[in-house]
Amino acid sequence: MNTHPKGNRARVLLSSVFGPYAQDDEFGSRTINPMELYHNQVTRAQGSFSLRMFHRSWGIMMIQANISAPCCVLDFPRREAFARELTKNHYDIVGISSIVMNVGKVKEMCRMVRELSPASVIVVGGHVAAIPGLDALIDADYIVRGEGISWMRRYLGEDEGAPIRHPAIVSGLQTRVMGVRLPERRGATAATIIPSVGCPMGCNFCTTSAFFGGKGKFVNFYETGDELFDVMCDIESQLKVHSFFVMDENFLLHRSRAMRLLERMKAAGKSWELSVFASANAIRKYTMEELVELGVSWLWMGLESPKSTYGKLQGADTKHLTQELREHGIRVQGSTIIGLEHHTPDNITAEIEHAVAHQADFHQFMLYTPVPGTPLYEQMAKEGRLLENINLADIHGQYKFNFQHAISRDDSKRFLDWAFWRDFERNGPSLYRICRTMLQGWKRYRDYPDPRVRERFEREMKKVSSAYNAALWAMERQFRKINRSVSEEIHSLRREVEREFPLVARLTARLLGPVLLWSAHREDERLAAGHTYEPPCFLQRSNWISA
Ligand code: B12
Ligand code: SF4
């Protein structure tokens, strides 16, 4: 690859694919694929209790923060906004970021660039680049596979090995639950931190592992706990946060980095909360106290299946581990795969019941899916098991199988939908489950010698004893028609919270509870009428001098 003739004076536009997203259209948008993490693949069957929020496109934000060229990030544009930006300003380079299922939008955006800004070089990056033969499907000049910061720096003639600057990213936007949009107070939402991309475990279906090199490979943006600590301090002071969403596929796998971070946190008295992703084998490298002291308060863990042979599970009793984590106040988000090789129409129900019996605070269910670029895709292609004529927009694990399996394509969707529903019906709204976990944690750690830990649980209990308790009041009523015994459990939890915090908890439940009950009803009606949510468009310029 040659560097761009203008080097770092080239003007760069970095855009995510265009919306609207949560509707069916010819470009590959799908109603079941809203731009919302939880509602898309975790709490989607939970009606008005579903946790709804948007996340920005962090890949292009990271690239923007790490180049010195004049750059504009356009996130979640409509086609009109993308066209307007292309014609209003001249861009030497137009970078488009996408995942596989949005390839139809990339094709259309490349067409638009050629028409509206013919002198621009088109660079396409992100997971879409893993599609074999992509160059024949879209009209781009460069298709970038893998890590994009170093590629873009190289293309602009900059030092690709320079330290990574981390932008200050607010992790979630426009959070809604029970029909109420939460106020966006400064510091109230966690900041996103991205220590690495990829994962060395190399599970055969895993797109993120495959995209950044596969088994044994990953890219560290921050090698050491010291570097990470400095970045977190910087973002803490910019955004006034105590809480971090750590976007690293397997954060706890890198134990020496995590333990050094803990040392620094202790020395500086940082009472931070970390939401992390980690595999069971990595979690077991730590004692519960180490996790708690590190501030791990939310943990996303692959449970996959009791009979799966993935190295990351290494014989772990995931049910016991989930229970133990929750007893220590750590909210667990389990992730279960439906359609592994040993699954059949006869045993899948029992496997789903096993997953649900974990009583994780949140549960993601995903279909086993050969996505282009993964070892599983290659294997299925070799075995001739890939189904023909499946639109790439429908290959993502939340719809139907794209390969031959003992379970039929249509049944795969039925089992997936049932898994979400069963988890909700049996375990109640995730909002209730996290209140239970936080209360357990606070009871266990309220007298803990380390003041940072006490402070963190006290912060959590402030929420549980006020607004969340009001939500419990509304939930126990709303849930009666779904599962009376869970409604009674919610009632007992609320009583317990009110025993601990008699004044504030009772008062907020009586005052705010009825409002939440009303707004949850209203939200259920809205959702039943087909209402969906779309993220706002963002436009952010850096190193910009108007032409
Ligand atoms: C945050 C996130 C989201 C957010 C939205 C983000 C957004 N604004 O688009 C939400 C929660 C809404 C979401 C939704 C979905 N997501 Co999502 N998501 C993620 C997640 C967890 C983090 C992405 C991230 O920021 N990573 C960190 C950044 C730094 O990495 P990156 O984005 O890959 O960017 C790097 C390179 O790819 C490259 N790069 C990226 N863009 C560009 C552009 C240019 C020009 C260049 C040169 C390079 C480049 O450089 C970056 C730095 O190295 C990833 C998993 C993961 N760990 O990455 C899944 C992931 C991207 N999502 C995925 C999927 C499937 C979905 C959904 C379809 C849900 C589903 N059914 O599973 C929906 C689709 C929504 C829609 N309508 O488009 C898959 C994509 C699989 C694939 N092969 O395409 C992933 C990989 C998860 C997985 N393992 O299955 N998602
Ligand atoms: S442990 Fe998780 S992130 Fe790592 S390769 Fe396996 S599925 Fe992917």
Side-chain angles (χ1 to χ4, degrees):
M1 178 244 305
N2 295 325
T3 50
H4 191 279
K6 290 194 185 167
N8 66 2
R9 284 177 299 107
R11 278 183 178 231
V12 185
L13 173 64
L14 295 173
S15 182
S16 54
V17 295
F18 58 83
Y21 308 97
Q23 62 168 48
D24 296 331
D25 73 17
E26 80 264 36
F27 299 111
S29 282
R30 295 288 184 264
T31 314
I32 59 159
N33 257 346
M35 211 29 104
E36 296 166 276
L37 174 61
Y38 291 94
H39 194 66
N40 187 314
Q41 63 218 62
V42 184
T43 53
R44 71 179 211 187
Q46 300 194 9
S48 58
F49 303 118
S50 179
L51 185 56
R52 311 197 63 152
M53 68 179 83
F54 306 112
H55 298 280
R56 293 284 308 277
S57 303
W58 301 323
I60 49 178
M61 292 173 83
M62 288 291 284
I63 296 174
Q64 179 181 41
N66 285 285
I67 56 176
S68 57
C71 179
C72 172
V73 158
L74 190 58
D75 209 359
F76 311 128
R78 295 290 167 112
R79 280 169 79 216
E80 305 71 43
F82 183 60
R84 206 179 315 124
E85 193 53 35
L86 285 175
T87 44
K88 210 171 77 190
N89 288 292
H90 170 74
Y91 287 101
D92 300 295
I93 301 166
V94 177
I96 302 167
S97 178
S98 173
I99 56 176
V100 167
M101 46 288 325
N102 290 326
V103 63
K105 299 186 181 199
V106 177
K107 183 177 177 189
E108 171 61 6
M109 290 169 86
C110 291
R111 189 199 63 73
M112 289 169 72
V113 180
R114 295 291 187 229
E115 182 188 316
L116 302 173
S117 181
S120 303
V121 172
I122 303 178
V123 183
V124 170
H127 287 268
V128 72
I131 300 176
L134 180 64
D135 48 350
L137 301 178
I138 60 168
D139 180 10
D141 299 297
Y142 295 101
I143 292 173
V144 180
R145 294 189 178 83
E147 208 286 292
I149 299 173
S150 54
W151 189 93
M152 196 56 93
R153 281 175 163 175
R154 213 160 45 240
Y155 187 51
L156 296 169
E158 301 190 16
D159 174 9
E160 65 176 285
I164 299 289
R165 282 185 294 272
H166 202 299
I169 304 174
V170 176
S171 73
L173 309 160
Q174 301 196 350
T175 305
R176 293 179 75 84
V177 68
M178 297 178 82
V180 176
R181 174 140 161 223
L182 307 189
E184 295 194 332
R185 230 174 357 92
R186 191 170 159 72
T189 309
T192 297
I193 295 281
I194 308 174
S196 350
V197 284
C199 171
M201 297 302 293
C203 301
N204 64 342
F205 58 85
C206 181
T207 64
T208 28
S209 175
F211 194 63
F212 295 99
K215 210 174 179 67
K217 307 245 172 52
F218 60 99
V219 179
N220 256 352
F221 292 145
Y222 304 104
E223 293 282 343
T224 65
D226 290 309
E227 286 173 87
L228 203 52
F229 179 77
D230 291 343
V231 167
M232 290 166 80
C233 286
D234 179 35
I235 288 174
E236 174 190 43
S237 66
Q238 287 188 59
L239 296 179
K240 308 284 169 244
V241 289
H242 310 280
S243 164
F244 296 90
F245 179 83
V246 185
M247 185 59 252
D248 182 315
E249 286 290 35
N250 208 335
F251 178 70
L252 296 176
L253 199 58
H254 312 281
R255 184 176 156 89
S256 54
R257 183 174 69 184
M259 292 310 284
R260 178 62 186 154
L261 175 65
L262 172 57
E263 264 174 53
R264 295 292 304 272
M265 283 168 63
K266 275 186 173 168
K270 297 290 184 193
S271 171
W272 287 339
E273 272 167 67
L274 309 189
S275 299
V276 306
F277 296 72
S279 53
N281 68 325
I283 298 166
R284 292 193 318 171
K285 291 184 190 171
Y286 301 78
T287 64
M288 286 295 146
E289 284 69 27
E290 280 170 344
L291 293 175
V292 168
E293 291 185 3
L294 188 57
V296 174
S297 56
W298 182 95
L299 206 154
W300 182 313
M301 168 173 60
L303 307 173
E304 319 314 12
S305 149
K307 294 201 183 77
S308 59
T309 51
Y310 291 108
K312 64 178 167 179
L313 296 171
Q314 278 177 359
D317 177 348
T318 52
K319 228 193 231 175
H320 179 254
L321 183 59
T322 305
Q323 190 191 336
E324 200 183 355
L325 288 162
R326 296 189 72 199
E327 282 166 4
H328 287 262
I330 300 175
R331 283 152 266 164
V332 177
Q333 168 147 343
S335 176
T336 291
I337 299 180
I338 294 184
L340 289 166
E341 288 293 355
H342 68 276
H343 286 159
T344 65
D346 294 333
N347 67 20
I348 188 67
T349 313
E351 290 255 333
I352 293 171
E353 290 290 9
H354 173 84
V356 168
H358 280 73
Q359 299 189 307
D361 298 85
F362 293 94
H363 213 125
Q364 166 182 264
F365 293 92
M366 271 277 173
L367 292 178
Y368 193 53
T369 304
V371 175
T374 57
L376 180 62
Y377 185 85
E378 273 173 41
Q379 179 202 332
M380 291 295 160
K382 224 180 272 164
E383 293 173 8
R385 287 172 62 190
L386 291 174
L387 300 178
E388 282 172 15
N389 300 323
I390 304 286
N391 192 328
L392 282 165
D394 295 317
I395 301 180
H396 49 72
Q398 285 297 330
Y399 181 50
K400 292 180 178 180
F401 282 157
N402 62 329
F403 70 113
Q404 287 164 12
H405 190 281
I407 295 169
S408 73
R409 176 165 155 82
D410 286 343
D411 279 348
S412 67
K413 175 164 167 42
R414 272 192 279 277
F415 285 124
L416 178 70
D417 292 347
W418 184 74
F420 279 111
W421 170 252
R422 182 72 180 134
D423 181 59
F424 178 51
E425 180 204 26
R426 177 156 166 204
N427 294 322
S430 288
L431 189 55
Y432 149 61
R433 302 181 218 172
I434 64 173
C435 289
R436 199 174 48 184
T437 303
M438 290 193 283
L439 181 66
Q440 272 181 313
W442 174 75
K443 282 179 144 179
R444 191 172 199 125
Y445 286 97
R446 62 179 147 185
D447 299 319
Y448 198 67
D450 185 339
R452 300 174 314 111
V453 172
R454 294 199 306 270
E455 190 188 320
R456 172 162 74 79
F457 282 105
E458 273 157 27
R459 275 202 309 270
E460 289 183 355
M461 277 325 284
K462 264 203 186 123
K463 294 184 213 161
V464 175
S465 62
S466 55
Y468 289 14
N469 195 55
L472 290 173
W473 185 94
M475 266 186 267
E476 72 186 66
R477 284 160 179 78
Q478 182 92 331
F479 214 72
R480 265 181 216 146
K481 53 184 183 287
I482 299 175
N483 184 334
R484 188 162 268 280
S485 79
V486 173
S487 156
E488 279 158 17
E489 285 169 26
I490 302 174
H491 173 81
S492 319
L493 178 68
R494 178 171 66 79
R495 286 283 184 223
E496 202 180 335
V497 174
E498 292 177 1
R499 271 196 302 278
E500 296 287 352
F501 303 92
L503 190 65
V504 66
R506 278 194 198 142
L507 204 65
T508 39
R510 302 307 178 277
L511 294 176
L512 189 58
V515 179
L516 289 176
L517 186 61
W518 172 81
S519 63
H521 275 307
R522 193 188 52 170
E523 183 73 355
D524 277 330
E525 282 170 12
R526 234 191 240 157
L527 297 175
H531 188 80
T532 53
Y533 291 97
E534 294 291 343
C537 175
F538 293 84
L539 188 148
Q540 281 162 322
R541 300 189 199 280
S542 54
N543 311 317
W544 196 261
I545 303 157
S546 295

